[in-house]
Amino acid sequence: RCHQLSEQYVLSPREAEILGYLARGFSPTYIAKELVLSVSTVRTHVRNIYRKLGIGKREELIHLVDEG
């Protein structure tokens, strides 16, 4: 489902990767450690993902992923 959303909302490859982590409930801190990025960079990607998907919080993201 994350792959479909990534294509539908034209997410970058990195945003698509981070979306997968977010959909599984991981925090920006955990994602940053796993992908060897700064937490600030991950948070920027998260903001961009939320903006592109038209959502404002994690609960909406989970709902959007589960809809499929």
Side-chain angles (χ1 to χ4, degrees):
R1 178 70 176 139
C2 289
H3 180 71
Q4 291 174 329
L5 289 172
S6 297
E7 289 183 348
Q8 181 180 349
Y9 291 97
V10 193
L11 300 183
S12 72
R14 182 62 92 180
E15 289 168 346
E17 185 176 20
I18 290 173
L19 175 63
Y21 281 95
L22 292 173
R24 288 179 276 160
F26 292 112
S27 71
T29 303
Y30 177 86
I31 297 168
K33 287 179 184 176
E34 285 294 304
L35 300 180
V36 192
L37 299 169
S38 73
V39 176
S40 176
T41 298
V42 172
R43 287 188 177 134
T44 297
H45 284 303
V46 171
R47 276 194 306 273
N48 291 337
I49 292 167
Y50 283 15
R51 179 182 45 80
K52 289 179 179 181
L53 270 56
I55 59 174
K57 56 186 176 180
R58 182 174 297 215
E59 290 81 7
E60 293 172 310
L61 173 70
I62 300 299
H63 180 71
L64 189 62
V65 170
D66 286 345
E67 280 180 348

